[in-house]
Amino acid sequence: MDEVDVMTRAGESVGKAVGTGLKAARQGVVRAGHAAEHKLAERGVTTDQLRGVLVDKADVLMGKAEEVEKQTRRARKRLAKKSHKARAELLSRAEEVRKEVRKAAKGARKDAKARAKEIRKAAAGLTEGTPRRRRRWPWVLGLLIAIGAAGYVALTRRPQEIHLQDDETPAADETAEFARNGQTPAREPVQ
C-alpha cells in the first residue's frame, strides 16, 4: 500500500503547487492594476476614460477589419466573376476555332478529291492515244513448260528390254573369244 500513499501525496503536492501558483498570479495582477491606476492618476486620466478610449479604438479596429474583409470578399467575387467570364469566352472561342478547323478540313478533303479526280482523268487521257501491247512471254513460257512435260513423259514411258534367252552361264561365243585372246575366263568367287 505504499504505492497508493505515495500517489496520493503526489497528487496533493501537485494540487498545492497549482494553488500557490494561481494565488501568486492573482496577486501579481492586482499589483499591476494598482500600479497602472497610479500611473494614470499621475497623468490625469481615469479608468473610465481609459476604458472609453480602448472601446473606441477597438470599434475603429473592428470596423477596419470588417472593411478589409468586405474588400477582400468583393475582390474575390470580382476575381471569380472575371475568371468565369474569361473561361466562358475561352470555351466559346475554342468552339469557334474547332468549327473553323472542321470547315477547313472538309474543304481541303473536297479539293483533294477533285484534284485526284482530275489527275486520274489526265492519266487516262494520256494512255488512250497509245494502243495496248499484249504481252507474249506468258504464252512462250507456257509452251516451253508443255514441251518439257511432254518430253519427260516420253522418256519415262520407254519400252523395257525383253531378254530372249534366260541363260545365266556365259555364252559359248564368249568362251571362244577368251581362248582366241589367250585369256582364261574368270573364276567365280568361292562363297
Side-chain angles (χ1 to χ4, degrees):
M1 291 282 200
D2 292 332
E3 296 167 353
V4 174
D5 291 335
V6 170
M7 291 302 285
T8 305
R9 288 185 187 142
E12 289 173 1
S13 65
V14 168
K16 267 187 198 174
V18 170
T20 308
L22 285 175
K23 185 178 178 186
R26 272 192 234 117
Q27 288 174 350
V29 168
V30 169
R31 273 189 239 125
H34 289 296
E37 281 180 9
H38 289 297
K39 291 281 185 179
L40 288 173
E42 288 175 6
R43 293 189 180 178
V45 179
T46 63
T47 55
D48 292 333
Q49 288 175 339
L50 183 62
R51 278 189 207 123
V53 170
L54 288 176
V55 168
D56 290 342
K57 292 286 183 180
D59 286 341
V60 170
L61 288 175
M62 285 299 292
K64 286 184 178 180
E66 288 174 1
E67 228 176 274
V68 168
E69 183 182 356
K70 284 180 185 176
Q71 287 176 353
T72 56
R73 193 179 301 146
R74 279 190 211 126
R76 274 187 275 135
K77 284 183 181 179
R78 282 187 207 131
L79 183 62
K81 201 173 190 180
K82 283 182 182 178
S83 66
H84 180 70
K85 285 182 181 179
R87 188 179 301 119
E89 184 180 330
L90 183 65
L91 288 175
S92 65
R93 183 67 185 136
E95 187 62 33
E96 290 174 11
V97 168
R98 208 175 293 130
K99 285 179 183 177
E100 289 174 11
V101 167
R102 280 188 199 137
K103 285 180 183 178
K106 192 173 183 180
R109 274 190 235 112
K110 282 183 180 179
D111 291 344
K113 210 177 208 182
R115 184 73 180 130
K117 193 174 183 180
E118 290 174 8
I119 290 172
R120 275 191 233 113
K121 282 184 181 179
L126 291 175
T127 58
E128 283 179 7
T130 60
R132 284 185 71 177
R133 205 177 122 191
R134 289 182 60 194
R135 296 181 181 165
R136 292 184 185 153
W137 66 267
W139 289 100
V140 172
L141 188 63
L143 186 62
L144 287 174
I145 291 172
I147 290 172
Y152 176 75
V153 168
L155 289 175
T156 56
R157 299 207 177 212
R158 280 196 327 198
Q160 295 180 353
E161 294 181 16
I162 301 174
H163 297 287
L164 296 177
Q165 291 181 346
D166 288 338
D167 266 330
E168 290 188 19
T169 58
D173 2 327
E174 289 179 9
T175 53
E177 193 175 322
F178 288 134
R180 268 187 276 153
N181 291 336
Q183 298 175 351
T184 58
R187 290 187 187 169
E188 290 184 13
V190 180
Q191 295 183 5

